[in-house]
Amino acid sequence: MASFIDEEDDDADFLTGRLLVAMPGIEDPRFERTVLYLCAHDEEQAMGLAVNRPVDGLSVYELLDRLGVKSDIQAPGDLVLLGGPIERERGFVLHTDDFNSPDSTLPVADGLGLTATRDVLDAMASRMRRPRKAILALGYAGWGPGQLEQELRDNIWLICDADEGILFDEDHEHKWTRALAKLGITADHLSATAGRA
């Protein structure tokens, strides 16, 4: 996972820690009405997780049970998310920085980390080590050099500041419209002005 980005870059052009909000009429149906959190972005690549695409009927507790992770907490109702179309069999946990695995947690931004190793799953199942907030996503969205920048120039994505509510709450159905509202935009207005409904 460290290959996505080695050092957090302070360059304002990079969007690590921000949200990408899909424009109406996006040509890739896998990203229609998607809100992506950018976990890494530099001149070579970008990597993000969709935060509003639950996997139908699969809770975190059920997935942990399938993976043989012993839980000492009551079954959480949190749903597993589909993070993106790349490596959908691989899990990624975006979490608050009260959990940290020194060898495998990638600091993202604003008190958040990304971990893709078994120790974060063990922590999620533990009453004492569980991060305050966490989402478990299967797969991710990725871009090579210049790809995300071109998509931004093509008005495929809007950029929005992230907040814990949009990242971690369970109201997945309304995260897209809530992200637009943070930008002062309604979906109806955006569809009319975008011309790509």
Side-chain angles (χ1 to χ4, degrees):
M1 195 151 59
S3 64
F4 289 122
I5 189 167
D6 293 325
E7 297 282 330
E8 186 171 323
D9 196 315
D10 291 331
D11 188 334
D13 291 338
F14 296 131
L15 301 172
T16 301
R18 307 283 303 277
L19 294 173
L20 296 180
V21 184
M23 288 284 284
I26 191 168
E27 292 179 8
D28 187 337
R30 298 173 300 177
F31 294 106
E32 187 177 333
R33 295 177 61 96
T34 292
V35 178
L36 284 166
Y37 181 74
L38 278 178
C39 300
H41 183 210
D42 64 19
E43 66 278 349
E44 295 299 318
Q45 65 235 325
M47 179 269 187
L49 297 176
V51 297
N52 66 330
R53 295 267 195 216
V55 176
D56 284 339
L58 181 60
S59 73
V60 170
Y61 180 79
E62 289 167 322
L63 183 61
L64 294 177
D65 189 51
R66 287 184 195 177
L67 295 173
V69 176
K70 208 130 177 92
S71 180
D72 65 358
I73 59 173
Q74 236 180 356
D78 305 345
L79 295 175
V80 174
L81 301 179
L82 179 57
I86 303 170
E87 292 190 55
R88 290 170 71 161
E89 69 287 345
R90 187 171 174 200
F92 297 87
V93 178
L94 179 68
H95 54 83
T96 48
D97 66 358
D98 50 342
F99 171 82
N100 181 48
S101 177
D103 297 327
S104 57
T105 296
L106 173 70
V108 180
D110 299 327
L112 298 176
L114 181 70
T115 308
T117 53
R118 168 104 184 190
D119 52 345
V120 73
L121 300 180
D122 291 333
M124 289 179 76
S126 166
R127 190 180 318 276
M128 302 302 289
R129 296 179 52 225
R130 183 175 173 83
R132 182 175 56 82
K133 299 275 187 181
I135 56 170
L136 193 161
L138 299 177
Y140 66 93
W143 297 263
Q147 285 183 319
L148 178 56
E149 291 76 7
Q150 185 59 52
E151 290 185 9
L152 291 168
R153 283 191 294 275
D154 292 342
N155 295 316
I156 291 172
W157 302 101
L158 295 171
I159 301 165
C160 178
D161 289 332
D163 66 51
E164 279 196 7
I166 290 178
L167 290 178
F168 296 114
D169 77 25
E170 297 177 24
D171 184 12
H172 302 296
E173 185 179 342
H174 295 102
K175 286 184 180 184
W176 185 74
T177 53
R178 286 170 46 209
L180 290 177
K182 281 185 66 129
L183 296 169
I185 300 170
T186 64
D188 293 341
H189 176 71
L190 190 60
S191 296
T193 59
R196 300 198 289 167

